[in-house]
């Protein structure tokens, strides 16, 4: 059931979709890092990608392939060396509004309690809230953080901290969520639980998500589309549409033949010598 | 730290740390007292009981309060001023790395200079009054603030700052909510180190030219071969430093509760 999009001419490679409905579009993006006394290091090469308004896209690729770099370019944390990045059709200047980021390591403020950390997202969202306390309470409830509202991050486990990070991200209320291996540092059980909760939240209120991971199964389970990157310099070598219907069941999906088939294909894509 | 140790000790049924410390100090004082009176070394090292006696007369005459206040005002003002200048300057140096690189040799040069040697110059500039002592204390402590704060700002998690920029936090928001709280532990450490240095600055300046203060009192007592006076001054200085340290440790415990027990 997966649609393999040919990677023959990567320059024009974009999944057919109505341009107006895209929230993110990358056109022929190169990203190189300046190095002192050396040639610039090309990490992303000729990357063209578009993400729909309610689409969940996962990027997989070997470590160091520039997949996180792509996220940084979308969020305006760095400028592409060549090519264009558009958000809602506008070229990214500075840090675009409505774009939320989540890192692998929790970037919570250690001197703020769980509530206060979530409140920061709310505060920076710029949407005046009638009752901010109620919004925070709802998020605490949604993420299963009840009883930990007053705790400091130092007292929480890694999984709990990422729940708080997700809470802060949701409080910021972005239309585009960029997630850089958000569950990558967690044990597989916690990772599975958090993945399921992310899906539950996203299915209730759809928005664009670009989710970077090196876990193929996680990508296929979560995403509408999986984009496969080559080793550095990262190029898109394949894209797979995941047509497994939602809501997806974390346990059942793993024995679904479509699931295993796509995973195998992505394994093959990754193994391909790309130079 | 002391409190936690005490808790553990109490649970293990050992003598609490505070008691152990008191016992140790008592033993040392007894050795001092006996040693001094048995060897007739009173002239050289005085005796604890003589010092206590002197302390009482000085408290009664108000002399102690006068000298103590003078030194505390000098060292305290120097410390406060160094913090007021050093903290913003330390943050600024990290914000403008090119300027920081430009002035770094000058700062390190000034830091390397034995600032005690500046005392005569300070007196020449601002006279032998309060100002020269404050200036001396300030010159001792400013670098501690500058370097600690810079290092603190540098150690802030880059991802955390990046995350703040993706949420389009303003510079003042980041300063208030991220930078300042992040450097609180560094400032507390700077104060802890600075207290001792500020006292050194004040006392040294007093030795060179003054008519009051603990440093001046010690100097005057030594000139009269009054060893008990010298030791009385030293003991009071030591008590001040210990008390200040205790106060900072309790402030740390309150302000850094977010660190939890995992430090």
């Amino acid at each position: 059931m997966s649609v393999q999009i040919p990677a023959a001419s990567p320059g024009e490679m974009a999944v057919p979709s109505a341009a107006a409905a895209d929230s993110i579009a990358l056109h022929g993006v190169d990203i190189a890092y300046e190095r002192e006394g050396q040639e610039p290091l090309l990490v992303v090469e000729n990357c063209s990608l578009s993400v729909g308004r309610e689409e969940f896209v996962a990027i997989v690729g070997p470590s160091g392939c520039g997949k996180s770099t792509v996220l940084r370019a979308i969020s305006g944390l760095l400028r592409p060396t060549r090519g264009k990045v558009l958000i809602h059709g506008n070229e990214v200047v500075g840090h675009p509004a409505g774009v939320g980021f989540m890192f692998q390591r929790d970037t919570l403020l250690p001197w703020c309690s769980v509530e206060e950390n979530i409140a920061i997202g709310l505060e920076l969202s710029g949407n005046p809230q009638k009752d901010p306390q109620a919004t925070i309470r709802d998020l605490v409830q949604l993420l299963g953080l009840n009883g930990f509202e007053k705790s400091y991050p130092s007292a929480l486990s890694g999984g709990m901290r990422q729940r708080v990070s997700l809470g802060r991200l949701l409080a910021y209320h972005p239309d585009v969520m960029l997630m850089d291996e958000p569950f990558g540092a967690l044990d597989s059980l916690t990772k599975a639980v958090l993945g399921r909760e992310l899906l539950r939240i996203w299915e209730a209120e759809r928005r664009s998500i670009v989710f970077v991971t090196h876990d193929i199964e996680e990508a296929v389970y979560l995403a509408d589309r999986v984009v496969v990157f080559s080793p550095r310099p990262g190029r898109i070598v394949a894209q797979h549409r995941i047509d497994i219907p939602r809501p997806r069941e974390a346990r059942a999906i793993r024995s679904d033949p479509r699931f295993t088939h796509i995973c195998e294909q992505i394994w093959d894509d990754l193994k391909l010598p790309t130079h | 730290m002391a409190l936690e140790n005490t808790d553990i000790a109490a649970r293990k049924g050992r003598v609490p740390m505070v008691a152990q410390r008191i016992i140790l100090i008592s033993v040392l004082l007894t050795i001092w007292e006996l040693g001094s009176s048995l060897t007739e070394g009173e002239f050289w090292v005085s005796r604890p009981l003589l010092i206590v006696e002197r302390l009482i007369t000085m408290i009664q005459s108000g002399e102690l309060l006068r000298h103590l206040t003078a030194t505390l005002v000098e060292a305290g003002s120097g410390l406060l001023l160094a913090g007021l200048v050093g903290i913003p300057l330390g943050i600024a140096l990290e914000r403008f790395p090119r300027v920081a690189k430009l002035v770094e040799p000058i700062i390190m040069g000034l830091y390397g200079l034995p600032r005690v040697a500046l005392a005569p110059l300070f007196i020449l500039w601002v006279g032998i009054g309060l100002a020269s002592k404050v200036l001396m204390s300030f010159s001792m402590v400013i670098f501690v603030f500058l370097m600690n704060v810079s290092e603190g700002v540098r150690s802030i998690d880059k991802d955390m700052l990046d995350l703040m920029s993706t949420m389009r936090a303003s510079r003042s928001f980041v300063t208030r909510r991220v930078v300042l709280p992040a450097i609180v532990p560094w400032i507390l450490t700077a104060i802890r180190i600075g207290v001792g240095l500020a006292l050194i600055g004040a006392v040294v300046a007093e030795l060179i030219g003054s008519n009051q203060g603990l440093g001046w009192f010690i100097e005057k007592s030594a000139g009269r071969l009054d060893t008990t006076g010298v030791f009385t001054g030293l003991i009071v200085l030591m008590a001040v430093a210990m008390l200040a340290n205790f106060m900072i440790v309790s402030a740390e415990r309150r302000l850094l509760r977010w660190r939890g027990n995992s430090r």
Side-chain angles (χ1 to χ4, degrees):
Chain A
M1 282 290 120
S2 101
V3 181
Q4 176 122 32
I5 295 115
S9 55
E12 285 94 62
M13 191 172 68
V15 169
S17 56
D22 290 341
S23 37
I24 307 169
L26 277 73
H27 297 299
V29 167
D30 279 4
I31 301 168
Y33 284 126
E34 296 295 331
R35 287 184 299 181
E36 221 169 302
Q38 275 173 296
E39 295 221 329
L41 180 71
L42 188 63
V43 282
V44 175
E45 191 177 12
N46 200 9
C47 174
S48 293
L49 178 72
S50 56
V51 180
R53 236 175 242 291
E54 300 188 339
E55 198 181 10
F56 195 136
V57 170
I59 301 180
V60 293
S63 59
C65 73
K67 47 193 195 301
S68 306
T69 308
V70 170
L71 287 195
R72 297 180 87 84
I74 299 172
S75 67
L77 283 173
L78 57 82
R79 302 259 152 271
T81 320
R82 199 178 65 85
K84 271 201 285 191
V85 180
L86 307 176
I87 301 258
H88 302 309
N90 304 313
E91 187 153 2
V92 167
V93 186
H95 300 285
V99 175
F101 214 113
M102 184 166 164
F103 287 97
Q104 174 177 0
R105 279 185 324 109
D106 78 82
T107 47
L108 300 173
L109 300 181
W111 42 85
C112 288
S113 67
V114 166
E115 277 181 333
E116 290 164 341
N117 267 295
I118 294 175
I120 280 180
L122 208 57
E123 207 174 318
L124 290 172
S125 71
N127 311 326
Q129 298 285 325
K130 262 178 272 151
D131 187 357
Q133 283 312 312
T135 313
I136 293 167
R137 263 201 308 277
D138 290 347
L139 281 167
V140 163
Q141 187 80 35
L142 180 73
L143 291 160
L145 289 163
N146 318 46
F148 292 93
E149 293 91 340
K150 307 275 180 224
S151 303
Y152 290 106
S154 63
L156 302 180
S157 67
M160 293 290 262
R161 285 186 217 180
Q162 285 308 64
R163 281 171 189 267
V164 182
S165 296
L166 187 55
R168 180 177 58 187
L169 179 63
L170 293 170
Y172 183 60
H173 212 274
D175 337 305
V176 172
M177 301 209 319
L178 306 174
M179 310 184 82
D180 189 1
E181 301 190 36
F183 312 137
L186 306 175
D187 64 274
S188 50
L189 202 65
T190 311
K191 186 175 179 170
V193 171
L194 279 175
R196 201 173 58 197
E197 299 202 4
L198 175 63
L199 271 194
R200 181 170 59 88
I201 290 163
W202 176 77
E203 276 160 11
E205 190 180 347
R206 296 218 178 189
R207 53 187 109 203
S208 305
I209 295 185
V210 184
F211 188 102
V212 162
T213 178
H214 50 238
D215 181 336
I216 296 171
E217 296 198 347
E218 186 185 34
V220 176
Y221 164 55
L222 292 173
D224 294 322
R225 178 156 49 107
V226 176
V227 177
V228 185
F229 266 55
S230 71
R232 198 178 61 221
R235 275 172 290 118
I236 298 176
V237 290
Q239 303 201 37
H240 299 269
R241 208 167 265 297
I242 317 296
D243 287 335
I244 304 171
R246 299 181 187 272
R248 295 177 185 164
E249 226 287 73
R251 202 168 61 85
I253 199 174
R254 269 153 231 274
S255 50
D256 189 315
R258 291 171 293 185
F259 180 86
T260 41
H261 180 63
I262 297 170
C263 289
E264 276 163 17
Q265 279 189 324
I266 295 174
W267 271 115
D268 290 342
D269 295 336
L270 286 170
K271 260 182 276 177
L272 268 171
T274 51
H275 36 76
Chain B
M1 202 171 79
L3 254 181
E4 288 149 21
N5 285 349
T6 314
D7 290 348
I8 295 164
R11 244 175 281 136
K12 287 189 181 167
R14 253 192 277 142
V15 186
M17 183 48 75
V18 182
Q20 288 191 41
R21 284 174 178 167
I22 292 172
I23 292 168
L24 176 67
I25 292 170
S26 312
V27 169
L28 291 175
L29 287 176
T30 312
I31 293 173
W32 185 2
E33 178 73 33
L34 292 178
S36 177
S37 44
L38 291 179
T39 60
E40 293 178 357
E42 213 174 278
F43 175 77
W44 302 106
V45 294
S46 188
R47 272 196 296 122
L49 286 181
L50 283 178
I51 296 168
V52 171
E53 210 174 284
R54 179 68 65 89
L55 268 175
I56 292 168
T57 52
M58 281 178 74
I59 290 168
Q60 280 167 346
S61 68
E63 204 185 351
L64 181 79
L65 190 67
R66 185 164 67 88
H67 296 309
L68 184 63
T69 316
T71 303
L72 283 183
V73 167
E74 293 157 6
S77 316
L79 187 71
L80 189 71
L81 212 60
L84 289 178
V85 175
I87 295 169
L89 209 60
I91 296 175
L93 279 183
E94 280 313 300
R95 181 151 291 171
F96 306 106
R98 299 216 355 228
V99 179
K101 231 173 189 168
L102 186 71
V103 299
E104 203 209 320
I106 303 176
I107 291 178
M108 289 319 286
L110 288 174
Y111 174 65
L113 201 68
R115 267 137 299 145
V116 177
L118 294 176
L121 196 60
F122 290 158
I123 290 170
L124 194 72
W125 285 346
V126 295
I128 60 162
L130 177 63
S132 62
K133 282 85 184 174
V134 174
L135 205 56
M136 193 66 217
S137 277
F138 171 83
S139 77
M140 298 291 286
V141 186
I142 178 73
F143 298 98
V144 179
F145 275 103
L146 207 59
M147 288 181 201
N148 264 282
V149 169
S150 290
E151 189 60 34
V153 175
R154 214 173 306 145
S155 70
I156 297 174
D157 187 352
K158 187 77 184 14
D159 285 349
M160 200 190 279
L161 296 174
D162 278 349
L163 191 103
M164 288 293 154
S165 17
T166 63
M167 295 199 287
R168 313 192 342 140
S170 68
R171 184 164 265 196
S172 86
F173 184 92
V174 174
T175 306
R176 270 183 299 119
R177 305 292 294 273
V178 183
V179 177
L180 289 179
I183 59 175
V184 166
W186 298 83
I187 292 174
L188 287 172
T189 307
I191 295 175
R192 211 165 154 178
I193 303 168
V195 165
L197 289 174
L199 280 174
I200 293 175
V203 167
V204 164
E206 284 170 6
L207 292 178
I208 291 175
S210 185
N211 55 13
Q212 58 177 352
L214 291 169
W216 175 81
F217 175 75
I218 290 169
E219 167 74 2
K220 189 196 71 175
S221 304
R224 292 178 185 166
L225 305 181
D226 172 14
T227 336
T228 304
V230 173
F231 274 99
T232 306
L234 290 175
I235 295 280
V236 173
L237 274 175
M238 213 166 93
V240 168
M242 281 161 72
L243 190 68
N245 192 50
F246 173 76
M247 279 161 49
I248 297 160
V249 170
S250 8
E252 255 177 14
R253 208 175 292 139
R254 186 159 321 153
L255 288 170
L256 305 182
R257 218 176 301 153
W258 51 267
R259 283 190 172 184
N261 297 321
S262 58
R263 48 172 169 152

